[in-house]
Amino acid sequence: MQHINKENIAQATERVKQRLPIEKIRQIPKYKNISVEAYHQLIKNAETFSLLVLQAFTVQDQNVF
């Protein structure tokens, strides 16, 4: 699997923010009063979770061979 660098992660994060702007997130009842800081933390948490899942798959693939 290809090594993921910080620039690629930053670009992916920006694409997520474009696809899910805060206005769209606020349409979800749970997040209707989300602050800008909480929105950024939500995106950061999703990024962290995604990287952990990706890392788990990478480790699993390495153990198969």
Side-chain angles (χ1 to χ4, degrees):
M1 178 170 249
Q2 205 177 10
H3 178 67
I4 300 172
N5 63 32
K6 291 185 182 206
E7 183 177 317
N8 289 345
I9 294 169
Q11 290 173 356
T13 301
E14 287 306 312
R15 287 192 302 270
V16 168
K17 287 181 181 180
Q18 289 174 358
R19 291 182 184 145
L20 289 172
I22 193 168
E23 296 82 18
K24 200 168 192 176
I25 296 293
R26 285 182 174 157
Q27 292 175 357
I28 301 168
K30 180 178 179 178
Y31 299 111
K32 69 179 183 176
N33 295 323
I34 193 169
S35 67
V36 174
E37 294 82 18
Y39 167 74
H40 289 295
Q41 187 62 49
L42 180 67
I43 297 297
K44 182 70 175 169
N45 290 346
E47 175 185 304
T48 302
F49 178 76
S50 300
L51 289 172
L52 288 171
V53 169
L54 183 61
Q55 182 181 15
F57 279 118
T58 303
V59 169
Q60 182 180 8
D61 286 346
Q62 289 174 354
N63 288 338
V64 169
F65 296 111

